[in-house]
Amino acid sequence: MLQTLSRIRVVLVGTTHPGNIGSAARAMKTMGLAELVLVAPECAFPSADSTTLAAGADDVLVAARVLPRLEDALADCVWAVGTSARRRGHSVPALDPNPAAQDLIARAAQGPVALVFGRESSGLTNEELDCCNALVQIPTNPEFSSLNLAAAVQVLTYSCRIAALAESPPSPPEYDPDPPATQAELEGLFEHLQRALIRIEFLDPEKPRHLMRRLRHLYLRAGLSASEVRILRGILTHTERGGGRPLGRP
Ligand code: SAH
């Protein structure tokens, strides 16, 4: 229920205006979220402007972590949703805020989940969106689609709160024998996949086209479990060795 909101991490990438960090913290606290991560902010942090605009959500700012790379911010997450004002070429299809929030709340029962926001000027890069399992777009006026960063945080955290309020009381926690893969485990799979595809000469590193991006989207969308990632990596190891009998079989 509402405790689920504490498992939603808000990640702001490359923020330029300290006031937006403060306003985002305020937006989060009003909706019951508390975990803020700043990836390579382009402004000084902490700063007086952030604190002023946080207007009492100072605890969110004090607890905020600053990390150098988006991968570090998402490593332990079981699901990450990127946000964008516009549909990007070669990206996963964009969801509306409400279904995206309902899905995020359901997945938060299994581990940390994240909402990822981009730079004020240019949003998230394609490579950053490639770290996300899904993409959400707030359906704004197509002729003027870009919200202020903290306003976007407000809209999406509100959707999450509504989804959490609507959730039926959770059943008692059960041991899950097959937990979802973390983003770090998925990154390990992608590196292994790329190595194996180069080894079998399916992927030409000189002419990669968009193969790895397409494959990332396929696996990210699937919501793989940790053991499914192990199976896929086992297949890759076997493929890299050139096939033949699987190890340990007569
Ligand atoms: N020119 C940038 C706009 C950046 S606005 C672009 O086209 O992406 C700063 C951030 O606010 C975005 O990276 C995104 O995280 C969020 N945002 C703004 N408008 C949004 C919208 N309509 N839907 C989803 N996120 C939005």
Side-chain angles (χ1 to χ4, degrees):
M1 288 230 294
L2 290 184
Q3 303 92 293
T4 322
L5 292 168
S6 64
R7 304 185 84 161
I8 302 179
R9 180 175 305 164
V10 169
V11 180
L12 306 184
V13 180
T15 311
T16 339
H17 297 293
N20 277 336
I21 298 178
S23 300
R26 179 181 185 175
M28 288 169 61
K29 190 166 179 181
T30 54
M31 295 299 126
L33 281 76
E35 195 189 348
L36 176 62
V37 173
L38 307 174
V39 172
E42 293 273 319
C43 58
F45 181 81
S47 101
D49 283 348
S50 299
T51 309
T52 305
L53 280 151
D58 308 43
D59 50 338
V60 176
L61 292 182
V62 169
R65 287 182 293 146
V66 180
L67 295 173
R69 298 176 325 143
L70 181 57
E71 287 90 326
D72 304 320
L74 302 181
D76 60 336
C77 286
V78 296
W79 199 251
V81 178
T83 59
S84 176
R86 58 205 158 87
R87 175 83 171 85
R88 311 292 190 91
H90 297 294
S91 72
V92 290
L95 300 169
D96 277 340
N98 291 343
Q102 282 155 11
D103 184 49
L104 205 62
I105 290 289
R107 291 181 191 273
Q110 298 189 291
V113 297
L115 275 171
V116 185
F117 296 86
R119 297 159 189 82
E120 290 92 335
S121 54
S122 54
L124 293 166
T125 63
N126 285 334
E127 288 68 30
E128 287 158 353
L129 285 171
D130 288 345
C131 293
C132 300
N133 302 85
L135 176 66
V136 67
Q137 189 180 5
I138 302 163
T140 40
N141 174 2
E143 276 135 45
F144 194 69
S145 64
S146 177
L147 283 156
N148 161 266
L149 169 60
V153 172
Q154 187 76 77
V155 170
L156 289 169
T157 54
Y158 171 72
S159 291
C160 289
R161 187 169 181 85
I162 295 301
L165 286 168
E167 225 201 7
S168 51
S171 42
E174 273 171 35
Y175 170 68
D176 181 355
D178 198 8
T182 63
Q183 300 297 97
E185 286 163 339
L186 288 172
E187 290 301 332
L189 168 67
F190 299 143
E191 276 164 32
H192 197 164
L193 183 61
Q194 183 165 12
R195 243 183 5 251
L197 293 178
I198 292 173
R199 177 82 181 264
I200 63 168
E201 296 179 5
F202 189 82
L203 174 63
D204 178 354
E206 302 298 318
K207 277 188 252 139
R209 303 233 160 77
H210 293 293
L211 181 65
M212 284 316 297
R213 173 162 290 158
R214 300 282 303 271
L215 291 172
R216 283 181 77 97
H217 293 167
L218 168 68
Y219 288 117
L220 282 165
R221 213 170 52 227
L224 297 175
S225 69
S227 72
E228 287 166 339
V229 167
R230 282 195 296 276
I231 293 170
L232 289 170
R233 293 197 61 166
I235 295 171
L236 290 173
T237 302
H238 192 66
T239 309
E240 281 177 310
R241 283 200 207 109
R245 272 184 295 124
L247 279 183
R249 301 242 182 105

Coordinates of all heavy atoms in Angstrom, one line a residue, residues 83-86 88 116-124 136-140 145-149 152 156, ligand 1:
T83 N 11.4 8.8 -18.6 CA 10.4 9.7 -18.9 C 10.8 10.6 -20.1 O 12.0 11.0 -20.1 CB 10.0 10.6 -17.7 OG1 11.2 11.3 -17.3 CG2 9.5 9.8 -16.6
S84 N 9.9 11.0 -21.0 CA 10.3 11.8 -22.1 C 9.1 12.6 -22.5 O 8.0 12.1 -22.5 CB 10.9 11.0 -23.2 OG 11.2 11.8 -24.3
A85 N 9.4 13.9 -23.0 CA 8.3 14.7 -23.5 C 7.9 14.3 -24.9 O 6.9 14.7 -25.4 CB 8.7 16.2 -23.4
R86 N 8.8 13.6 -25.5 CA 8.5 13.2 -26.9 C 8.9 11.8 -27.2 O 9.8 11.2 -26.5 CB 9.3 14.2 -27.9 CG 10.7 14.2 -27.7 CD 11.4 15.4 -28.2 NE 12.6 15.6 -27.5 CZ 13.8 15.1 -27.9 NH1 13.8 14.4 -29.1 NH2 14.9 15.2 -27.2
R88 N 10.8 8.8 -28.9 CA 12.1 8.8 -29.5 C 12.1 7.7 -30.5 O 11.5 6.6 -30.4 CB 13.2 8.5 -28.5 CG 13.1 9.4 -27.2 CD 13.4 10.8 -27.6 NE 13.6 11.6 -26.3 CZ 14.8 11.7 -25.7 NH1 15.8 11.1 -26.2 NH2 14.8 12.4 -24.6
V116 N 12.9 7.8 -13.9 CA 14.1 8.5 -14.3 C 13.8 9.7 -15.1 O 13.0 9.6 -16.1 CB 15.0 7.6 -15.2 CG1 16.3 8.2 -15.5 CG2 15.3 6.2 -14.5
F117 N 14.3 10.9 -14.7 CA 14.0 12.2 -15.4 C 15.2 12.7 -16.0 O 16.3 12.6 -15.4 CB 13.4 13.1 -14.3 CG 12.1 12.7 -13.8 CD1 12.0 11.8 -12.7 CD2 10.9 13.1 -14.4 CE1 10.8 11.4 -12.2 CE2 9.7 12.6 -13.9 CZ 9.6 11.8 -12.8
G118 N 15.1 13.5 -17.1 CA 16.2 14.0 -17.8 C 16.6 15.4 -17.6 O 16.0 16.1 -16.7
R119 N 17.5 15.9 -18.4 CA 18.0 17.3 -18.2 C 16.9 18.3 -18.7 O 16.2 18.0 -19.6 CB 19.2 17.5 -19.2 CG 20.4 16.6 -18.8 CD 21.3 16.4 -19.9 NE 22.3 15.4 -19.5 CZ 22.0 14.1 -19.6 NH1 20.9 13.6 -20.1 NH2 22.9 13.2 -19.2
E120 N 17.0 19.5 -18.1 CA 16.0 20.5 -18.5 C 16.1 20.9 -20.0 O 15.1 21.1 -20.6 CB 16.2 21.8 -17.7 CG 15.9 21.7 -16.2 CD 17.1 21.3 -15.4 OE1 18.0 20.7 -15.9 OE2 17.1 21.6 -14.2
S121 N 17.3 20.9 -20.5 CA 17.5 21.4 -21.9 C 17.2 20.3 -22.9 O 16.6 20.5 -23.9 CB 18.9 21.9 -22.1 OG 19.8 20.9 -21.6
S122 N 17.7 19.1 -22.6 CA 17.7 18.1 -23.7 C 17.2 16.7 -23.2 O 17.2 15.8 -24.0 CB 19.2 17.9 -24.1 OG 20.0 17.6 -23.0
G123 N 16.6 16.6 -22.0 CA 16.0 15.3 -21.6 C 17.0 14.2 -21.4 O 18.2 14.5 -21.0
L124 N 16.6 13.0 -21.6 CA 17.5 11.8 -21.4 C 18.1 11.5 -22.8 O 17.5 11.6 -23.8 CB 16.7 10.6 -20.9 CG 16.2 10.7 -19.5 CD1 15.1 9.7 -19.2 CD2 17.3 10.7 -18.4
V136 N 7.7 6.4 -20.2 CA 6.4 7.1 -20.0 C 6.4 8.5 -20.5 O 7.4 9.2 -20.4 CB 6.0 7.0 -18.5 CG1 6.9 7.9 -17.6 CG2 4.5 7.4 -18.2
Q137 N 5.3 8.9 -21.1 CA 5.1 10.2 -21.7 C 3.8 10.8 -21.1 O 2.8 10.2 -21.3 CB 5.1 10.1 -23.2 CG 5.2 11.4 -23.9 CD 5.1 11.1 -25.4 OE1 4.9 10.0 -25.9 NE2 5.2 12.2 -26.2
I138 N 3.9 11.9 -20.5 CA 2.7 12.6 -20.0 C 2.0 13.2 -21.2 O 2.7 13.9 -22.0 CB 3.0 13.7 -19.0 CG1 3.8 13.0 -17.8 CG2 1.8 14.4 -18.5 CD1 4.6 14.0 -16.9
P139 N 0.7 12.9 -21.5 CA 0.1 13.3 -22.7 C -0.2 14.8 -22.7 O -1.3 15.2 -22.4 CB -1.1 12.4 -22.8 CG -1.4 12.0 -21.5 CD -0.2 12.0 -20.7
T140 N 0.8 15.6 -23.0 CA 0.7 17.1 -23.0 C 0.2 17.5 -24.4 O 0.2 16.8 -25.3 CB 2.0 17.7 -22.6 OG1 3.0 17.0 -23.2 CG2 2.3 17.7 -21.1
S145 N 4.9 20.4 -25.6 CA 4.8 19.2 -24.8 C 5.7 19.1 -23.6 O 5.5 18.2 -22.7 CB 5.1 18.0 -25.8 OG 6.5 18.1 -26.2
S146 N 6.7 20.0 -23.4 CA 7.7 19.8 -22.4 C 7.3 20.5 -21.1 O 7.2 21.7 -21.1 CB 9.0 20.3 -23.0 OG 10.0 20.2 -22.0
L147 N 7.1 19.7 -20.1 CA 6.8 20.2 -18.7 C 8.1 20.6 -18.0 O 9.2 20.1 -18.3 CB 6.2 19.2 -17.9 CG 4.7 18.8 -18.1 CD1 4.5 17.4 -17.6 CD2 3.9 19.8 -17.4
N148 N 8.0 21.5 -17.1 CA 9.2 21.8 -16.2 C 9.5 20.5 -15.5 O 8.6 19.7 -15.2 CB 8.8 22.9 -15.2 CG 9.7 22.9 -14.0 OD1 9.4 22.3 -13.0 ND2 10.8 23.6 -14.1
L149 N 10.8 20.3 -15.2 CA 11.2 19.0 -14.7 C 10.5 18.7 -13.4 O 10.0 17.5 -13.2 CB 12.8 19.1 -14.4 CG 13.4 18.0 -13.5 CD1 13.3 16.7 -14.2 CD2 14.9 18.4 -13.3
A152 N 6.9 17.6 -14.0 CA 6.8 16.2 -14.5 C 7.0 15.3 -13.3 O 6.2 14.3 -13.2 CB 7.9 16.0 -15.5
L156 N 4.0 12.5 -12.2 CA 4.2 11.1 -12.1 C 4.1 10.5 -10.7 O 3.6 9.4 -10.5 CB 5.5 10.7 -12.8 CG 5.3 10.9 -14.4 CD1 6.7 10.9 -15.1 CD2 4.4 9.9 -14.9
Ligands
SAH1 N1 13.6 19.1 -24.4 C1 13.5 18.0 -23.5 C2 12.6 18.4 -22.4 C3 13.2 18.2 -21.1 S1 12.1 18.6 -19.8 C4 13.0 16.8 -24.2 O1 12.4 16.9 -25.2 O2 13.1 15.7 -23.7 C5 13.0 17.8 -18.5 C6 12.5 16.4 -18.1 O3 11.1 16.5 -17.6 C7 12.4 15.4 -19.2 O4 13.6 14.8 -19.5 C8 11.4 14.4 -18.6 O5 12.1 13.7 -17.6 C9 10.4 15.3 -17.9 N2 9.3 15.7 -18.8 C10 9.0 16.9 -19.3 N3 7.8 16.9 -20.0 C11 7.4 15.6 -20.0 C12 6.3 14.9 -20.5 N4 5.4 15.5 -21.3 N5 6.2 13.5 -20.3 C13 7.1 12.9 -19.5 N6 8.2 13.5 -19.0 C14 8.3 14.8 -19.2

